[in-house]
Amino acid sequence: MQNLIALLVAAPLLGAAVLLCGGRRLDRSGHLIGTLLAAVSFVIGVVLFSDLLGRGADDRTLNQHLFSWVPVGGFRADIAFQLDQLSMTFVLLISGVGTLIHIYSIGYMEHDERRRRFFGYLNLFLAAMLLLVLADNYLLLYVGWEGVGLASYLLIGFWQHKPSAATAAKKAFLVNRVGDLGLSIAIMLMFTTFGTFAFGPVLHSVGDAGEGRLTAIGLMLLLAACGKSAQVPLQSWLGDAMEGPTPVSALIHAATMVTAGVYLITRSGALFNAAPTAQLAVTVVGAVTLLFGAIVGCAKDDIKKALAGSTMSQIGYMVLAAGLGPIGYVFAIMHLVTHGFFKAGLFLGAGSVMHGMNDEVDMRRYGGLRKHMPVTFVTFGLGYLAIIGFPGLSGFFSKDKIIEAAFAKGGTEGWVLGGAALLGAAITAYYMTRVMIMTFFGAERWRNAATTSPDEPSAEPAAEHRGEHAEPHPHESPRSMTIPMIVLAFGSVFAGAFFGIGDRFLRWLEPVTGHQEGNSPVGAATVTIATMVLLVVGAGIAYLQYGRRPVPAVAPRGSLLTRAARRDLLQDDFNHVVLVRGGEHLTRSLVYVDHTLVDGVVNGTAASFGGLSGRLRRLQNGYARSYAVSMFGGAALIVAATLLMRAV
Amino acid sequence: MNPVYYLYLAALLFTIGATGVLIRRNAIVVFMCVELMLNACNLAFVAFSRLHGNLDGQIIAFFTMVVAAAEVVVGLAIIVSLFRSRHSASVDDASLMKL
């Protein structure tokens, strides 16, 4: 049975190879091949899952060793896979949501002449992501890690003829490099500390290493997680990544790839448990990001960027939970899975809306769409209820647990983290209600869009047609797009209850991540009630602001915070001032030092030797008598020195 | 007679020879001054031989004479051929070995 594991990765990899090397003759069938191979991967995943379910709880780890990759002396790097409950959860999420999004893309990318290539990249992404979660050592994980970075880069910049998309792709790649640097340093530290980087040996011998070393590794892993999961301070790429096609935003930049950081932290749980400082840093990053993303999400008028802010914020919840240690790991992964459902569903809904609205992304030109797109409205609405944590839906079960766990951290930290998580829940309710109302309710602001349309760059390539179609004709999307949305909506509604009731998910994942009940200073019921109250308050404020009053077509100036949030809380300005300018100044001063000091020393030495030899040359005048003088002088000196030495 | 006086004389002769080498231009005279210096050395050797009461110095003096004789043969040959090619015996005229 374990020989099937490699096939999980091989199927989409084969798809990527065939589609990217196959050329034009596959243009007609490429999307079907890609979707089929993604589905193959999912089916294998389900087969393996049922096999794991048939085993005892402690016997659910399968290993497959393909070959030794780099056997050099004491250094061993293997291509080997490890499938346990944690990997299994990810495999099902990645290949399941991935297959749905492949199906959705068939309809969404129908008119794109580079659709075959798009599916090739999607398959490449699936292969890399599955490799990331199936690897049994950190080095192979790193291969997958870089692979998803590459696929993300290719897909963000898929419409490379648009300068904004090309820039966004480069930005994502560069910011991710910073995180990747952290991961590579962490792996090197692991090798020097433990002499290996296989998960088993490293995580079992954590006790032998000093805490300082573990903290360093933990912080480097956190840096890696920040890059891939768009956490503060490496969050700036995610908003721009929305330049990619919407299915990409749904699959990579919401459901799967951006959660790789959470996987990394959870996988290295044993290591973080032994390094409390690193763990505290993880929780702080998570708490800051969940508020940061939520605030950004409140101010964006671009529907995809609002959802991107929300993604950042929700991953902040997961990172926060993963930083809490054994009381949080399970809930981090649980929220990750439910978030995978509802956020992918929301993004697909947003894509469906854009599809019907001539690729308009500005929510101020939506409104009243519920009558025109009933399926999208219902699925998006269910996703909305799930994300804000409406009782009984997915987000309710997973997010509440995280808030409880944050309080259970204990002490001042517990109160601060729990408070941040609660506040985040209120803001989530606010910005999601805002998105919902602006898109599906209220006046149909798109009716006169042509006259008021300011020239804003739109995220989709068909934007140039907008001028010709003066007024969009919203219509429901084709079935290949609505069916994945309906499936994901089912997930958004029932996954939480399925996982949460009877602690099914907890019992499934506990053997890998470990679990311990925290003793919360506030009861579970109190937390739930507080969350509900804040949810109603947040949604209510949004309703008063956007539901009761007409939404202006041009964004009002807004308060200082709103304007800052529209510019992503000045993250790019900060990066520009601190990193770009700072970097320029640094390089300039280094060039100056190089020119004056380094070159000065080198050139000065050469010049002084040149001058000295010019002087010495004069002695070489060819007159035998002057040579004789120097000989006599030298002899006299030697005699004098000898006499002097003897006198002493 | 105190052998030290011979040493003084040797030093005087050596100095005269060295001065002559340094300030005279005629190659023959310079050559004679070199001989003078060699003879000053010989005198010193013999004086030391006497002072220390052994024959080492006297033997060295013989060697010096042999070397000086050989040197005269070679040196005069060079001077003569130099004179033939340049019609001058001035050492400053042969100043080609410079940059």
Side-chain angles (χ1 to χ4, degrees), chain A residues 617 620-625 627-629 632, chain B residues 22-25 37 92 94-95 97-99:
Chain A
R617 203 179 64 168
Q620 206 77 269
N621 51 14
Y623 293 116
R625 290 185 302 141
Y627 299 154
V629 169
F632 277 113
Chain B
L22 292 183
I23 63 174
R24 298 304 297 262
R25 293 189 187 162
M37 286 160 72
D92 285 1
S95 63
M97 282 172 62
K98 64 178 176 187
L99 288 169

Side-chain angles (χ1 to χ4, degrees), chain A residues 10-98:
Chain A
L13 195 61
L14 174 75
V18 167
L19 291 180
L20 294 178
C21 303
R24 291 257 167 80
R25 70 190 78 109
L26 291 177
D27 270 355
R28 288 201 173 166
S29 57
H31 53 284
L32 296 177
I33 298 176
T35 311
L36 180 72
L37 284 167
V40 164
S41 199
F42 177 62
V43 170
I44 298 171
V46 171
V47 170
L48 284 166
F49 179 58
S50 61
D51 179 64
L52 285 199
L53 280 185
R55 293 159 182 260
D58 297 327
D59 188 30
R60 283 177 177 162
T61 302
L62 297 178
N63 284 294
Q64 183 180 11
H65 182 269
L66 273 192
F67 56 90
S68 286
W69 179 20
V70 191
V72 183
F75 180 95
R76 267 180 71 90
D78 290 345
I79 303 287
F81 301 116
Q82 172 187 323
L83 183 76
D84 56 13
Q85 290 94 321
L86 182 60
S87 303
M88 194 70 241
T89 312
F90 271 87
V91 165
L92 289 178
L93 176 74
I94 295 161
S95 58
V97 176

Side-chain angles (χ1 to χ4, degrees), chain A residues 5 34 216 302 399 459 541 574 629:
Chain A
I5 300 175
D302 178 328
K399 203 193 287 178
I541 294 174
F574 175 81
V629 169

